Amino acid sequence: MTPPPVVWPFFGLRLVAPTVELVYPDDAIAMAIARLGARGIHDPATMPFAVPWTRNKTPPELALSTMQNIWLERATATRLAWNASFAVVVAGEVVGRQDIQTLDFPIHRTVTSGSWIGQDYQGRGIGRAAREAILAFAFDGLDAAHARTGAFHDNPRSLAVSRRLGYVETGRTMLDREGVPTEHVDLAIDRAGWAAVERAPVAFVGLEPVRAHLGLGAAEHDRKQ
Ligand SMILES: CC(C)(COP(=O)(O)OP(=O)(O)OC[C@H]1O[C@@H](n2cnc3c(N)ncnc32)[C@H](O)[C@@H]1OP(=O)(O)O)[C@@H](O)C(=O)NCCC(=O)NCCS
């Protein structure tokens, strides 16, 4: 009998690192991400995001907009252009959100990423571990060639995470941050840079159905067997 179609293979995906797990969320986990974000992501005196989605919202509005954003990204994904939002989980608790985006991935083999950690959990190495896990997914899980990211010049934590993981600065652009031209630092890492990074092992659960869905074929470790 033909097995039933997987339909949305991301649901089985988990990236397991020694100190954090990135879990592709069902609605219950997505709601935990949304509720966490509503408790606070940054000092309101600052704005780390190029799109100031955290501004002028009550906590329930913020939670709803997070939930709708996760649904929107999922609903509009194609095989060529998709965004996967993962819950950052530590000791069974959702403590943040880590996203990875691609555009024409089979051609460019390039990913970008974005993330936030709940304010109560920042500065404990979780953001770095989450980014490391998403880079492992990109380079080792999906055979990416390049990963890009960026942060405003006055976001030292985000920039420190990127630099510690081997990204190099590729340029600076002025972005409109809530009406003020503000310097944004663009960074990138390639496979050689990633190979040189001292990093923790990351295990992928449910990777093969995702690779098949994206038309990527068998993973390197399977081809060698
Ligand atoms: C940016 C963010 C994801 C990082 O996650 P985190 O868990 O707080 O970060 P970590 O604890 O893993 O690492 C922080 C790094 O910043 C460094 N750091 C902290 N404050 C710093 C400062 N004032 N100047 C320089 N470096 C600083 C730490 O030393 C650490 O680097 P190290 O590992 O090389 O020592 C998180 O702080 C966050 O969500 N911030 C608000 C939202 C945001 O900025 N998102 C990213 C938008 S681009």
Side-chain angles (χ1 to χ4, degrees):
M1 210 168 73
T2 317
V6 176
V7 183
W8 190 241
F10 284 94
F11 276 139
L13 188 58
R14 282 191 295 129
L15 318 177
V16 186
T19 58
V20 302
E21 203 170 314
L22 300 193
V23 179
Y24 189 85
D26 59 14
D27 276 358
I29 296 174
M31 264 186 285
I33 299 174
R35 290 195 184 105
L36 173 75
R39 277 165 46 198
I41 297 172
H42 61 85
D43 179 345
T46 68
M47 178 44 71
F49 302 114
V51 175
W53 60 275
T54 48
R55 190 66 83 206
N56 297 330
K57 289 191 184 76
T58 63
E61 287 168 346
L62 203 54
L64 179 59
S65 94
T66 297
M67 203 61 200
Q68 288 184 314
N69 177 260
I70 291 172
W71 282 326
L72 178 74
E73 297 290 4
R74 192 178 287 166
T76 53
T78 68
R79 281 183 164 78
L80 295 183
W82 50 271
N83 179 105
S85 305
F86 290 84
V88 180
V89 177
V90 174
E93 194 179 354
V94 173
V95 297
R97 171 175 169 174
Q98 175 71 60
D99 283 26
I100 178 172
Q101 299 103 14
T102 68
L103 183 62
D104 292 337
F105 186 72
I107 298 162
H108 300 296
R109 295 271 168 178
T110 298
V111 303
T112 55
S113 68
S115 63
W116 55 261
I117 302 298
Q119 230 171 344
D120 296 345
Y121 304 93
Q122 292 173 9
R124 301 186 201 172
I126 297 172
R128 176 185 167 183
R131 185 94 68 80
E132 200 174 302
I134 211 74
L135 284 177
F137 175 53
F139 285 118
D140 305 332
L142 302 180
D143 310 327
H146 304 274
R148 298 187 191 286
T149 193
F152 284 114
H153 71 97
D154 54 2
N155 191 341
R157 278 189 177 157
S158 178
L159 291 169
V161 166
S162 298
R163 292 194 169 114
R164 178 64 85 97
L165 286 172
Y167 288 82
V168 293
E169 190 176 322
T170 56
R172 294 189 179 220
T173 40
M174 297 304 280
L175 297 187
D176 167 1
R177 179 165 69 177
E178 302 188 284
V180 179
T182 308
E183 195 171 56
H184 188 266
V185 184
D186 305 313
L187 305 119
I189 181 171
D190 61 13
R191 291 189 73 81
W194 176 242
V197 173
E198 198 180 310
R199 57 188 195 262
V202 178
F204 309 124
V205 178
L207 175 65
E208 288 314 320
V210 171
R211 285 188 61 100
H213 170 80
L214 297 173
L216 295 176
E220 192 64 39
H221 59 85
D222 285 350
R223 282 200 295 271
K224 283 187 195 137
Q225 286 171 1

